[in-house]
């Protein structure tokens, strides 16, 4: 659908994973004159304390901009059921596709039931995510309703958008989460940190395990999440973070998948 700046005014339901990923995207849409509502449905976020912190940051941002905020259920039991058998899948693997699918399905349903023209997601703004994987889930969810509403695809990871994202994050002093959200992401991030001699992730509080707890300096914040840092994490992930236990479980899952299509809960 192209740039929000050149599109006709739309009623947009924006699925938001967190305030830091929302900042630039929200302001880009608002400045272009679109009528947006923020939809918070993220049953993947664990533990509950982290979930509540991220939700409250998101609500604060929506309140400051006078944007409607939809607080959906913390459907955590359903998320774990759908993740069953994928506990040791790598980041950006089948478990992440399932997670995007689940959140986009609920977003598309709400958009369909409440007369939105389209929906999209802040997951697409993060360097940690595969945009093609995110967009595939969005299109699949939109197809359930004959693309009414449609899924708005756009490259939200441009250098300009990324720069603006860190500037807005710092000006709002957003809470800086240290991992994607799910318990398996938390596990893998802590394995990576142990491999690199770093402290584990800290949930809440005024001090982070690594770096600053809040976004305060756009350049320093961007450096912490640079493309080089992201690439280093995934290179290590390819080798199971030098964890023999994790590597063994992933080999075991691969063998189970070979037994049939239901082995990985698809």
């Amino acid at each position: 659908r192209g740039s929000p700046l050149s599109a006709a005014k739309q009623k947009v339901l924006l699925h938001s994973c967190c305030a830091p990923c929302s900042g630039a995207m929200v302001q880009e849409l608002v400045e272009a004159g679109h009528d947006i509502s923020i939809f918070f449905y993220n049953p993947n976020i664990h533990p509950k304390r982290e979930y509540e912190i991220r939700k409250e940051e998101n609500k604060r941002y929506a309140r400051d901009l006078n944007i409607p905020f939809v607080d959906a259920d913390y459907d955590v039991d359903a998320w774990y059921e759908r993740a069953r058998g994928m506990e040791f899948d790598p980041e950006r693997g089948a478990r992440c596709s399932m997670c995007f699918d689940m959140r986009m399905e609920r977003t598309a349903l709400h958009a369909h039931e409440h007369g939105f023209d389209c929906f999209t997601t802040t997951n697409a703004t993060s360097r940690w995510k595969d945009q093609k994987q995110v967009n595939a889930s969005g299109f699949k969810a939109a197809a359930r309703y004959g693309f009414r509403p449609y899924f708005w695809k756009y490259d939200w990871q441009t250098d300009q958008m990324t720069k603006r994202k860190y500037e807005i994050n710092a000006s709002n002093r957003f809470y800086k989460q240290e991992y994607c959200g799910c318990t398996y992401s938390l596990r893998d991030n802590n394995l990576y940190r142990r491999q690199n001699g770093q402290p584990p992730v800290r949930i809440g509080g005024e001090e982070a395990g690594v770096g600053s707890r809040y976004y305060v300096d756009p350049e320093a914040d961007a450096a912490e999440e640079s493309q080089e840092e992201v690439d280093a994490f995934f290179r290590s992930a390819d080798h199971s973070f030098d964890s023999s236990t994790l590597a063994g479980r992933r080999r075991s899952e691969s063998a189970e998948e070979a037994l049939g299509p239901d082995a990985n809960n698809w």
Side-chain angles (χ1 to χ4, degrees):
R1 284 286 173 166
S3 169
L5 297 178
S6 60
K9 181 178 177 179
Q10 302 286 299
K11 185 178 180 183
V12 184
L13 184 63
L14 175 62
H15 169 267
S16 178
C17 57
C18 61
C21 285
S22 302
M25 195 170 176
V26 166
Q27 293 206 10
E28 190 91 353
L29 290 166
V30 168
E31 289 170 5
H34 301 294
D35 177 11
I36 78 167
S37 295
I38 293 176
F39 187 72
F40 193 81
Y41 175 69
N42 298 289
N44 57 306
I45 300 175
H46 175 89
K48 185 69 178 293
R49 183 184 182 199
E50 181 77 9
Y51 171 84
E52 293 294 346
I53 291 170
R54 297 191 193 188
K55 183 173 73 173
E56 288 306 312
E57 284 289 80
N58 222 315
K59 289 173 72 174
R60 171 170 70 89
Y61 187 53
R63 187 168 56 248
D64 289 346
L65 295 178
N66 198 29
I67 293 172
F69 183 90
V70 181
D71 185 357
D73 292 337
Y74 185 48
D75 200 8
V76 65
D77 290 340
W79 188 89
Y80 276 108
E81 178 59 27
R82 288 182 67 160
R84 184 169 51 84
M86 303 181 194
E87 294 88 346
F88 295 94
D89 281 9
E91 198 88 2
R92 294 181 178 172
R95 187 183 65 245
C96 289
S97 288
M98 175 282 295
C99 188
F100 296 140
D101 284 349
M102 184 174 182
R103 289 182 283 170
M104 290 303 93
E105 287 163 11
R106 184 62 67 87
T107 306
L109 173 62
H110 187 89
H112 175 72
E113 292 179 338
H114 293 84
F116 285 86
D117 298 310
C118 60
F119 66 97
T120 190
T121 176
T122 62
N123 283 125
T125 70
S126 174
R127 288 173 173 154
W128 296 94
K129 302 303 173 195
D130 181 338
Q131 282 195 91
K132 291 181 179 178
Q133 191 178 29
V134 173
N135 290 336
S137 292
F139 287 129
K140 190 159 50 173
R144 289 175 166 230
Y145 307 101
F147 296 94
R148 296 291 186 272
Y150 65 86
F151 176 73
W152 193 337
K153 175 189 174 184
Y154 178 62
D155 182 6
W156 303 100
Q157 292 186 27
T158 63
D159 290 342
Q160 180 181 355
M161 283 291 291
T162 300
K163 180 175 183 292
R164 189 177 189 191
K165 168 182 167 179
Y166 287 110
E167 289 170 349
I168 290 172
N169 289 353
S171 67
N172 285 275
R173 201 170 179 265
F174 286 143
Y175 172 82
K176 188 188 294 182
Q177 57 255 28
E178 301 183 61
Y179 61 105
C180 174
C182 79
T183 187
Y184 311 119
S185 169
L186 176 59
R187 174 201 63 205
D188 289 354
N189 271 268
N190 279 330
L191 285 172
Y192 179 67
R193 290 184 176 199
R194 186 174 68 185
Q195 184 185 36
N196 288 278
Q198 298 173 326
V201 169
R202 298 184 68 170
I203 307 296
E206 292 300 308
E207 294 185 7
V210 173
S212 59
R213 168 48 73 213
Y214 301 98
Y215 287 92
V216 291
D217 182 331
E219 290 189 8
D221 295 333
E224 283 184 25
E225 300 174 331
S226 68
Q227 191 61 56
E228 291 75 18
E229 288 295 323
V230 173
D231 292 343
F233 174 87
F234 282 104
R235 281 196 300 271
S236 182
D238 287 341
H239 299 282
S240 301
F241 308 106
D242 290 339
S243 167
S244 58
T245 300
L246 184 59
R249 293 305 298 265
R250 285 181 175 169
R251 284 194 297 270
S252 175
E253 278 197 358
S254 295
E256 289 175 5
E257 287 172 17
L259 297 176
D262 296 328
N264 207 24
N265 198 31
W266 279 102

